[in-house]
Amino acid sequence: MRIDLHTHSNVSDGTQPPAELIAAAQHAGLDVVALTDHDQTAGWVQARQAAAELGVGFVPGMEITCQDHQGISVHLLCYLQDPGYQPLLDELDLSRNSRVIRAQRIVDRLAEDFPISWDLVSEHCQPGATVGRPHIADALITAGVVESRNEAFANILSARSRYYVGHPAIDPRDAVRLVLEAGGVPVFAHPAAALRGRVVPEATFHEMIDVGLAGVEIHHRDNSAEGKRFLARLAKQYDLIVTGSSDYHGAGKLNRLGENLTEPDMLDRIIAAGTGAQASL
Ligand code: AMP
Ligand code: FE
Ligand code: FE
Ligand code: ZN
């Protein structure tokens, strides 16, 4: 069984519509794929239908943008949550709205030095999609400023850049609680991605575990080797679900579908725990 539990469509910052992503998953020889767009679930219906037509197993999910009390970015994956659970939807609305304001501020700063505008960024973002720096990167590519998203993230869009602006986001403990209330299964995404920026201290893991964190995404290309060893110890100590996945973003990132996989018994645990939505296997 080839199971990849972390992918993005153009409902957030991936480059393919959900149905195309599912076709790509089939082409990559995956048996099961989860769609985990940032901060929304608008792609589930299309993905589920394509998965049924192509005979691919589908797990509905999402990746929630969070920030801990020290301002460190945390991404929380969740699976099988009720997509209509209003308290969670309210938080996601706040988050997506603050992303728009923040992206506009980044563009304002960039526009002082580069030929880009909010209109150009909007052309690279599907209506209603969760906007992020990758869409700004795409506008910078069109404007001839950089050649790839990767190049943009390496300098002018990095968190260390003078053009960078952050945005407020939900505390990871509150996100874990809301996911559980929605019948979902919360899994900490790429928890040891040291190259992306600061990683949370061990205390944050314990705080999240205390409120019901169910799993950790260990097998992910951005986790450091040392971080993976730490996570494996933590998972053993607290009997956490362990996942592996690609974090595929279509043409927007080097990550390839199926480059990391989740063991079938771990998917079984997710399915046993999730009560807010159905997987189609
Ligand atoms: P934001 O959510 O606006 O802060 O932007 C972060 C998003 O950018 C993440 O979800 C990643 O998928 C994406 N990202 C981060 N680094 C890179 C990179 N080097 N190349 C392409 N996309 C990236
Ligand atoms: Fe992303
Ligand atoms: Fe992420
Ligand atoms: Zn992701």
Side-chain angles (χ1 to χ4, degrees), residues 65-67 71-73 75 99 102-103 105-110 132-133 136 152-153 155-169 196-198:
T65 313
C66 312
Q67 203 174 78
I72 300 175
S73 171
H75 286 180
R99 277 175 165 281
R102 169 265 197 156
R105 289 177 61 199
I106 295 178
V107 171
D108 286 344
R109 291 187 181 186
L110 287 167
R133 282 178 285 164
I136 303 175
F153 272 91
N155 49 75
I156 55 181
L157 288 183
S158 90
R160 288 171 296 279
S161 156
R162 62 198 189 86
Y163 305 106
Y164 183 79
V165 180
H167 63 93
R196 288 191 186 204
R198 286 188 298 159

Side-chain angles (χ1 to χ4, degrees), residues 6 8 12-14 38 63 75 134 149 196 247 249 253:
H6 184 167
H8 296 265
S12 62
D13 55 1
H38 297 286
E63 185 176 18
H75 286 180
R149 284 186 178 184
R196 288 191 186 204
D247 204 355
H249 282 66
K253 260 183 158 178

Side-chain angles (χ1 to χ4, degrees), residues 39 62-66 74-78 88 92 170 175 179:
D39 303 324
M62 178 167 68
E63 185 176 18
I64 304 174
T65 313
C66 312
V74 170
H75 286 180
L76 185 73
L77 289 161
C78 58
L88 180 54
L92 297 171
I170 184 173
V179 167

Side-chain angles (χ1 to χ4, degrees), residues 208-229:
M208 290 169 71
I209 290 167
D210 281 347
V211 293
L213 180 71
V216 282
E217 185 185 51
I218 297 186
H219 312 294
H220 183 292
R221 65 157 69 201
D222 292 352
N223 286 332
S224 66
E226 189 196 343
K228 285 179 182 174
R229 285 192 290 274

